[in-house]
Amino acid sequence: MTAQHAHPAPRFTGAARPYGGGDPYADYRTADFPFARLTDLADRRLGAGVVAAADEFFAERENLLLPGRAVFDPEHFGHKGKVMDGWETRRRRGPSAGDPWPAQEDHDWALIRLGAPGVVHGVVVDTAHFRGNHPRAVSVEGASVPGTPGPEELLSDGVTWTTLLPRTPVGGHAANGFAVPAGRRFTHLRLSQYPDGGIARLRVYGEVVPDPAWLEALGTFDVVALENGGRVEDASDRFYSPPANTIRPGRSQRMDDGWETRRRRDRGHDWIRYRLAAQAEIRALEIDTACLKGNSAGWASVSVRDGAGTGTGTDEPEGAGDWREILPRTRLQPDTNHRFVLPAPAVGTYARVDVFPDGGISRLRLFGSLTGQGSAALAARHREPGG
């Protein structure tokens, strides 16, 4: 994952102009962050949460992890002041009239439990709509703590915090993105803002590294699911919605919570390629078209490929065998969950779903268990990043 960090992300500093009406995102400062195609480990849909915060006087800490971009209503005020879609703390003050300014080290913090533990490759501290009330700087630290620790345990002397992003200036009304070089597995983050202010969203992009002991205890599980370490490597089309939606937890509740392609006007077809949690033996699968009614795919097939390729790029997996079809081209019904038991187990490290000719699916589930080789590889991956 080093090539994507060859060029540093653009940095934004200073306040934005006051809101002048119209589209509030018209002057929003952002950039294309290469790491943003990875899994958001802090996605609430994966089970992430804000465990605690030092202060949330103006806006609740839970807003930090809401899916979707922050919204702004210029007329929305409450009894504490302007209601903001983010996490906003009160203004800090100095100790006296002669020294009314916050101290250099003064800051507010929030503790975040990642929805899926993993290796962090980049963070985005989004200050959308916080134009003059954003923090001057932020920092991010990570810790690896087993179980479900509470705030007291996370803040105790027994927990070691590793700096992922040192104290760094940020800009108002901007997507402040930072590549993270730390190559360890983390379960929790501590976001600090100096000295106070508001942050709309926090996105934590990386690779899921599940607990091998948990997956071994489950035995049979969804080997392509995001929370179990599966991921999308590439797709033919991302026009309406991201292909990673197809391996999120739960059934799709809306049309845009799946994967939908543009309408094809040629003789081709669309596809998604996945990397599984590790080498696995697949015994059953589901293709769900929930909420896709007049725009679901007409037919679909599923193939697997076995090999030891790195699978970190968008090229075909290196060192892998040929694709082997485990579900032939099959007619799909709209808004339906289709289940298939395979006639024989299929071993693979990668999977591909092909849809014909276009359209969408909401979820793909591949049920199976890790092979001995897969279990050993996952255990090594869990051990090495964890340090």
Side-chain angles (χ1 to χ4, degrees):
M1 305 299 292
T2 55
Q4 66 181 0
H5 300 153
H7 301 289
R11 299 288 176 87
F12 306 110
T13 56
R17 294 178 60 86
Y19 174 64
D23 180 6
Y25 275 101
D27 60 342
Y28 177 67
R29 297 177 286 177
T30 187
D32 181 18
F33 304 113
F35 51 74
R37 282 202 170 185
L38 299 174
T39 302
D40 181 6
L41 304 178
D43 192 329
R44 281 197 60 82
R45 293 167 292 185
L46 286 177
V50 185
V51 178
D55 184 279
E56 48 184 328
F57 185 84
F58 285 113
E60 296 81 5
R61 64 183 190 260
E62 287 83 3
N63 292 335
L64 277 173
L65 307 185
L66 291 178
R69 63 183 189 174
V71 298
F72 180 72
D73 181 353
E75 304 299 326
H76 193 187
F77 286 83
H79 68 279
K80 291 183 180 180
K82 182 72 185 71
V83 176
M84 297 294 289
D85 183 9
W87 169 51
E88 185 180 8
T89 67
R90 72 192 80 201
R91 300 187 187 216
R92 283 182 170 269
R93 298 295 186 230
S96 66
D99 185 14
W101 304 280
Q104 177 69 14
E105 66 275 10
D106 282 352
H107 68 281
D108 293 316
W109 51 263
L111 298 176
I112 292 95
R113 179 190 66 248
L114 297 179
V119 179
V120 179
H121 288 284
V123 298
V124 174
V125 180
D126 189 351
T127 57
H129 316 304
F130 291 97
R131 295 170 174 270
N133 51 349
H134 63 287
R136 293 188 62 185
V138 299
S139 66
V140 179
E141 301 163 277
S144 185
V145 185
T148 52
E152 297 80 7
E153 184 177 351
L154 290 170
L155 295 173
S156 68
D157 294 337
V159 174
T160 300
W161 291 91
T162 300
T163 299
L164 305 184
L165 175 68
R167 182 171 174 169
T168 303
V170 293
H173 196 44
N176 299 277
F178 308 96
V180 173
R184 297 183 53 202
R185 176 183 184 269
F186 296 106
T187 60
H188 293 77
L189 298 186
R190 179 163 59 192
L191 170 66
S192 299
Q193 57 173 336
Y194 304 84
D196 53 36
I199 297 170
R201 298 286 189 268
L202 174 69
R203 305 303 187 208
V204 182
Y205 296 104
E207 299 173 82
V208 176
V209 181
D211 182 353
W214 174 251
L215 297 184
E216 183 178 354
L218 293 179
T220 298
F221 59 94
D222 183 359
V223 298
V224 76
L226 276 177
E227 67 265 37
N228 294 331
R231 66 175 183 263
V232 168
E233 291 202 320
D234 200 7
S236 62
D237 188 285
R238 302 168 186 262
F239 189 83
Y240 284 114
S241 46
N245 283 351
T246 60
I247 52 176
R248 291 193 181 281
R251 291 199 76 199
S252 173
Q253 300 299 311
R254 306 190 330 176
M255 188 176 71
D256 63 350
D257 188 25
W259 173 61
E260 182 190 356
T261 72
R262 76 192 83 193
R263 300 187 188 214
R264 277 191 170 267
R265 303 307 188 198
D266 58 20
R267 302 289 291 179
H269 73 280
D270 290 313
W271 52 267
I272 307 175
R273 191 177 77 241
Y274 307 87
R275 183 177 174 90
L276 308 184
Q279 187 189 66
E281 189 176 75
I282 303 165
R283 292 184 285 275
L285 63 90
E286 291 182 359
I287 300 176
D288 196 353
T289 58
C291 303
L292 295 163
K293 298 181 179 179
N295 48 0
S296 64
W299 292 262
S301 66
V302 178
S303 303
V304 298
R305 193 173 188 178
D306 189 32
T310 60
T312 56
T314 57
D315 297 329
E316 286 289 301
E318 298 176 4
D322 294 331
W323 289 105
R324 182 162 65 93
E325 193 173 69
I326 62 173
L327 179 72
R329 192 180 304 190
T330 301
R331 188 73 167 97
L332 300 182
Q333 299 298 324
D335 196 27
T336 301
N337 192 20
H338 309 75
R339 292 179 170 175
F340 307 94
V341 176
L342 301 185
V347 174
T349 312
Y350 306 88
R352 192 186 71 223
V353 59
D354 294 85
V355 300
F356 303 88
D358 54 26
I361 63 173
S362 60
R363 296 290 188 270
L364 174 71
R365 306 298 190 204
L366 302 177
F367 296 105
S369 55
L370 298 184
T371 64
Q373 178 181 322
S375 294
L378 184 59
R381 186 164 169 245
H382 180 271
R383 187 168 56 247
E384 290 166 6

